[in-house]
Amino acid sequence: MNSYEPLYIDYLIYFNRDQDYFECHEVLEELWLERNRDPLYKGLLQIAVGLYHYRNRNFRGGLMMLQSSLELLESYPNSSLGIRLGDLITDVRELVRDLQGNEPETIRYRDLSITIEDRALIELIQIRSLELTPNVPQRRSPTRGRIYEEKMKALQQNQVHEHQEKRS
C-alpha cells in the first residue's frame, strides 16, 4: 500500500469533487515547498493554476501555466502518484491547443478531471472527502502558507502601530 501525503489527497478532492482550483493551488504549493520543489508536484500545481486563470477568462495566464505544466510533466510515467497522469497530460495538451487558437474567448470553458487508479488512494480520498468540506463560495485569496502568514503578521503590526498612534 502506497503512502500518500494528506495535502496531495486534499488536492485531488478539491480538483475532482469541487473544481476549486484556487484551493488546489493552496494545498499543493504547501506540499511542493515541503518536498523541495518537486517538479511533479509543481506540474500538478500549475494545471490547477492554469484552470483557475482560464475559468476567470485570463486566457494568457491560463495558457502559460498549462504549457509550463506540460513541460514539467511529460517526462513522468503515464501512471504516477496513483493517478493516470498520461490521461491528464493528454487533456491539458488538448486544452492548450484550443487556447492557442486566434480567439480563445470563443472557447467554451470546461473543467478537467484526474483519474485515480490506485484503490488505496481511492479509499483515502473517500474517507477524507467526508471531513473536507467545500469552500462555498470559493475563495479568491490565500489563507495559508508562508505568504499568507507574512501578510497577516504585517497587518497585525500595522494595526498595533495605528493603535499606538491613536493613543499618542
Side-chain angles (χ1 to χ4, degrees):
M1 180 168 140
N2 288 323
S3 175
Y4 294 100
E5 297 283 347
L7 290 169
Y8 176 63
I9 294 167
D10 288 357
Y11 167 85
L12 293 171
I13 294 168
Y14 286 127
F15 196 100
N16 283 343
R17 183 190 72 186
D18 303 341
Q19 292 85 43
D20 188 341
Y21 304 119
F22 182 86
E23 196 62 30
C24 286
H25 167 267
E26 290 288 282
V27 296
L28 210 57
E29 182 179 51
E30 198 172 317
L31 181 57
W32 172 66
L33 291 170
E34 286 176 11
R35 292 289 171 197
N36 298 317
R37 302 179 190 286
D38 183 327
L40 179 54
Y41 289 123
K42 183 176 183 183
L44 292 171
L45 171 74
Q46 288 180 336
I47 291 172
V49 173
L51 289 171
Y52 175 82
H53 286 305
Y54 169 40
R55 181 166 52 202
N56 289 300
R57 307 195 57 77
N58 174 358
F59 301 112
R60 184 175 181 273
L63 178 60
M64 288 173 50
M65 280 291 109
L66 293 169
Q67 285 175 317
S68 180
S69 74
L70 289 174
E71 293 168 12
L72 290 168
L73 295 175
E74 286 179 325
S75 65
Y76 287 92
N78 287 334
S79 178
S80 297
L81 289 175
I83 65 172
R84 290 188 186 153
L85 184 61
D87 292 353
L88 181 60
I89 290 169
T90 298
D91 292 344
V92 171
R93 196 178 294 123
E94 181 181 309
L95 187 54
V96 164
R97 272 195 305 272
D98 290 347
L99 288 171
Q100 286 174 328
N102 294 332
E103 298 178 39
E105 53 279 337
T106 62
I107 299 168
R108 187 167 168 242
Y109 173 79
R110 65 184 182 278
D111 290 306
L112 298 183
S113 186
I114 298 173
T115 303
I116 315 298
E117 61 182 8
D118 182 354
R119 283 216 172 278
L121 181 56
I122 291 170
E123 289 176 24
L124 291 169
I125 288 170
Q126 289 171 341
I127 293 166
R128 178 67 177 137
S129 290
L130 298 173
E131 304 165 353
L132 191 65
T133 57
N135 295 309
V136 179
Q138 291 182 358
R139 293 178 300 130
R140 298 291 182 233
S141 62
T143 59
R144 67 165 44 120
R146 182 186 53 80
I147 293 170
Y148 173 75
E149 289 169 10
E150 289 172 2
K151 283 183 181 178
M152 290 298 103
K153 186 176 179 182
L155 180 62
Q156 287 172 347
Q157 288 173 346
N158 200 19
Q159 289 173 341
V160 167
H161 181 38
E162 288 175 2
H163 181 70
Q164 289 172 341
E165 284 181 349
K166 286 181 183 178
R167 295 183 77 193
S168 304

